[in-house]
């Protein structure tokens, strides 16, 4: 009972609470895992769905991700970033693995044909902080030159490698590499050095 | 790969957008002991990439997703908490220890005590060498009755100057492994409880030779013995020199292209 109450308190405390939840999960607290799931599964689902384009597969990724968190929570280190971003990164890696297992034959064509309309709509319960973060990241992406933004989107949201991006866009591989490097340097400056 | 070359592609590395050869080379470079800011550049790029998921509106999984998770975590407790020193290599070593701990049994602990005397002369070059050696020896003892390779690994482990190196997981893969490496680095045997081949998947061994841009060389497949995965890195290839060892997940039979399909673990030998 005390633990449950504490979980509610740390969830209410926001991101720092999520780190505390992970500490509890590492000690085998299933209620903490449920609370963490309620708080961040939407972000993991969003990235998996964007990459895979299939609700069924994206949900399998979310399942696998949270089972892995249950087993590996003690490996989380706060210096690696906020829990939501860490968990989304785990889900994204799994989704990319799944995508690459499917085969690459039509992936590039699909990626080039797809546009952000596959993004889900914001959930009614999305918090103001989540909305602000989304706006900040989107603004950072929007600040990039269009060709740099496109290569980052193809790599991050579609799971393409540099070679696949070059093939899909028709640009030389060296150009793609340069665009990714410049884009990531600029994004780091905007996102890491500007208060969130 | 030089530090300058690494920094050119660190953004693509953080985005997981490198092709297999470049990925392997970048990981091998990162595992080297001396850098001109490469770990910091990688950390910065990774932190940036992780924030990008925040651009998407959240999507709620259906209720059945949590029910399935609850059922699955009911099957087993989380791995025991382990303490680590700071640092990427130490974390990788500890991850491997965690995998080994998961398979420990009372019988193995008993056998461990007997094995410890025979391994007193073995020296390792990793931070938690004593724990790694104890767990490695215990696991090998458990398999030696049925596996000639396990017996060879024990012999190698007991040889003066041999060391145990820990593999670092790549790309979010939840796996760990150790390798017993001879003092002259001409023999290396993999040990893992996580890399068991399946009906459709094999794990392949790779040796990364020295030299700028050198391509990884296939060095055999992982085999299973009593629930432990073992791999014998091809000695003839090792004899030509190696800066790192790697494991990739492959279709049954091994890489169809001659290059790693998905690198899951890597360990530096240099330094």
């Amino acid at each position: 009972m005390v633990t449950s109450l504490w979980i509610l308190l740390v969830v209410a405390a926001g991101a720092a609470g999520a780190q505390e939840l992970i500490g509890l999960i590492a000690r085998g607290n299933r209620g903490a895992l449920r609370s963490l799931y309620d708080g961040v599964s939407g972000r993991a689902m969003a990235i998996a769905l964007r990459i895979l384009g299939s609700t069924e597969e994206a949900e399998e990724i979310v399942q696998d991700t949270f089972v892995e968190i249950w087993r590996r929570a003690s490996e989380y280190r706060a210096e690696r970033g906020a829990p939501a971003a860490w968990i989304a990164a785990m889900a994204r890696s799994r989704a990319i693995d799944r995508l690459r297992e499917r085969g690459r034959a039509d992936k590039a064509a699909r990626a080039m044909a797809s546009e952000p309309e596959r993004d889900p709509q914001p959930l009614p319960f999305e918090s103001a902080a989540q909305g602000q973060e989304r706006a900040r990241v989107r603004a950072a992406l929007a600040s990039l030159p269009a060709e740099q933004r496109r290569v980052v989107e193809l790599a991050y949201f579609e799971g393409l490698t540099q070679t696949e991006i070059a093939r899909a866009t028709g640009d030389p591989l060296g150009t793609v590499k340069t665009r990714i490097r410049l884009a990531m340097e600029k994004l780091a400056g905007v996102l890491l050095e500007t208060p969130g | 790969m030089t530090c300058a070359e690494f920094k050119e592609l660190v953004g693509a590395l953080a985005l997981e957008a490198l092709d297999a050869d470049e990925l392997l080379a970048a990981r091998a470079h990162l595992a080297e002991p001396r850098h001109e800011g490469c770990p910091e550049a990688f950390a910065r790029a990774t932190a940036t990439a992780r924030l990008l998921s925040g651009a998407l509106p959240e999507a709620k999984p259906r209720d059945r997703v949590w029910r399935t998770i609850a059922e699955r975590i009911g099957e087993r407790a989380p791995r025991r908490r382990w303490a680590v020193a700071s640092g990427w290599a130490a974390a990788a070593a500890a991850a491997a220890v965690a995998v080994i701990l998961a398979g420990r049994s009372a019988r193995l602990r008993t056998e461990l005590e007997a094995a410890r005397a025979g391994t007193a002369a073995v020296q390792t070059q990793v931070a938690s060498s004593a724990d790694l050696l104890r767990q490695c020896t215990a696991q090998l003892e458990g398999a030696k009755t049925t596996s000639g390779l396990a017996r060879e690994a024990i012999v190698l482990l007991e040889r003066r100057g041999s060391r145990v190196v820990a593999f670092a997981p790549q790309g979010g893969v939840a796996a760990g492994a150790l390798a017993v490496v001879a003092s002259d680095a001409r023999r290396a045997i993999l040990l893992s409880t996580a890399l068991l081949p399946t009906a459709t998947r094999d794990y392949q061994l790779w040796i990364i030779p020295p030299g700028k841009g050198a391509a990884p060389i296939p060095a055999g497949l992982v085999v299973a013995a009593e629930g432990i995965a073992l791999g014998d890195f091809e000695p003839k290839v090792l004899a030509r020199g190696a800066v790192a060892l790697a494991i990739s997940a492959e279709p049954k039979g091994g890489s169809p292209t001659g290059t790693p399909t998905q690198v899951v673990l890597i360990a530096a030998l240099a330094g």
Side-chain angles (χ1 to χ4, degrees), chain A residues 23 25-28 30 33-34 37 39 41-43 45-47 49-50 55-56 59 62-64 66-68 70-72 74-75 77 80 85-86 88-89 92-94 96-97 100-101 119-123 125-126 130 133-134 136-138 141 152 155-157 160-163 177 180-181 184-185 187-189 191-193, chain B residues 7-20 22-23 43-70 72-88 91-92 94-95 98 169-175 201 249 261-262 264:
Chain A
I25 294 166
R27 295 194 288 275
R30 294 178 191 184
L33 183 71
R34 178 57 199 259
Y37 175 86
S41 62
R43 186 157 165 179
M45 180 71 184
I47 188 66
L49 184 58
R50 176 63 188 264
T55 300
E56 293 283 341
E59 287 180 339
V62 172
Q63 285 172 16
D64 291 344
F66 277 85
V67 171
E68 185 176 352
W70 174 249
R71 293 172 180 165
R72 298 179 56 197
S74 60
E75 296 174 28
R77 296 292 179 269
R80 293 180 184 175
W86 177 63
R92 177 176 176 270
S93 287
R94 287 177 172 274
I96 288 177
D97 288 346
R100 291 176 181 172
E101 282 176 8
D119 289 351
Q121 293 300 307
L123 295 172
F125 56 79
E126 182 181 75
Q130 288 168 333
E133 182 184 7
R134 192 172 75 255
R136 191 170 82 92
V137 177
R138 287 192 163 194
L141 285 167
V152 168
Y156 188 82
F157 296 113
L160 297 191
T161 66
Q162 294 182 127
T163 299
K177 290 182 175 181
I180 285 181
R181 178 175 59 80
M184 288 298 286
E185 288 172 357
L187 286 172
L191 292 172
L192 302 181
E193 292 162 16
Chain B
K7 289 174 190 172
E8 286 286 314
L9 53 71
V10 70
L13 175 62
L15 292 170
E16 299 182 56
L18 293 179
D19 292 292
E22 280 186 321
L23 175 63
R44 179 178 170 86
T46 302
T48 303
R50 285 182 175 176
L51 289 173
L52 295 180
S53 65
L56 297 176
E58 298 197 0
K60 184 176 171 58
R62 287 173 286 189
D63 291 343
R64 69 183 185 190
V65 174
W66 170 255
R67 289 198 297 272
T68 304
I69 293 169
R72 289 176 64 183
I73 67 172
E75 295 169 1
R76 55 192 295 184
R79 290 191 179 127
R80 58 178 289 183
R81 193 175 180 86
W82 35 264
V84 296
S86 61
W88 187 75
Q170 306 295 305
V173 173
R201 169 170 291 189
T261 301
Q262 182 197 355
V264 295

Side-chain angles (χ1 to χ4, degrees), chain B:
Chain B
M1 177 175 287
T2 66
C3 290
E5 290 168 337
F6 177 84
K7 289 174 190 172
E8 286 286 314
L9 53 71
V10 70
L13 175 62
L15 292 170
E16 299 182 56
L18 293 179
D19 292 292
D21 286 359
E22 280 186 321
L23 175 63
L24 201 54
R27 291 291 188 185
H29 177 77
L30 202 54
E32 290 172 4
R34 286 177 292 279
H35 290 285
E36 296 171 5
C38 297
E40 293 78 8
F42 179 58
R44 179 178 170 86
T46 302
T48 303
R50 285 182 175 176
L51 289 173
L52 295 180
S53 65
L56 297 176
E58 298 197 0
K60 184 176 171 58
R62 287 173 286 189
D63 291 343
R64 69 183 185 190
V65 174
W66 170 255
R67 289 198 297 272
T68 304
I69 293 169
E71 289 171 5
R72 289 176 64 183
I73 67 172
E75 295 169 1
R76 55 192 295 184
R79 290 191 179 127
R80 58 178 289 183
R81 193 175 180 86
W82 35 264
V84 296
S86 61
W88 187 75
V97 171
V99 170
I100 299 301
L101 286 173
R104 189 168 62 180
S105 69
R107 182 178 65 82
L108 287 176
R109 280 199 298 275
T110 302
E111 292 174 348
L112 167 64
E113 293 305 314
R116 286 165 85 173
T119 58
V122 177
Q123 297 177 354
T124 71
Q125 296 181 1
V126 292
S128 52
S129 58
D131 283 345
L132 285 172
L133 270 177
R134 279 195 292 274
Q135 301 304 328
C136 191
T137 303
Q139 289 287 344
L140 289 169
E141 287 289 335
K144 73 176 182 179
T145 55
T146 57
S147 169
L149 184 55
R151 283 195 294 273
E152 288 185 48
I154 292 173
V155 170
L156 182 59
L157 184 63
E158 292 173 345
R159 194 175 298 163
R160 181 175 295 276
S162 293
R163 59 192 169 121
V164 178
V165 298
F167 283 78
Q170 306 295 305
V173 173
L178 307 172
V180 184
V181 182
S183 59
D184 59 4
R186 289 174 175 245
R187 188 79 195 276
I189 299 177
L190 173 86
L191 167 68
S192 171
T193 56
L195 299 179
L196 299 175
T198 68
T200 58
R201 169 170 291 189
D202 267 328
Y203 291 97
Q204 188 157 5
L205 312 171
W206 299 87
I207 291 169
I208 303 172
K212 179 181 177 182
I217 303 171
L221 295 176
V222 172
V223 297
E226 292 197 354
I228 296 177
L230 296 158
D232 192 2
F233 288 88
E234 177 58 53
K236 289 180 181 175
V237 181
L238 269 178
R240 304 207 297 263
V243 295
L245 306 174
I247 314 295
S248 68
E250 303 289 348
K252 204 65 183 172
S255 169
T257 64
T259 60
T261 301
Q262 182 197 355
V263 176
V264 295
L265 291 167
I266 194 164
L269 294 180

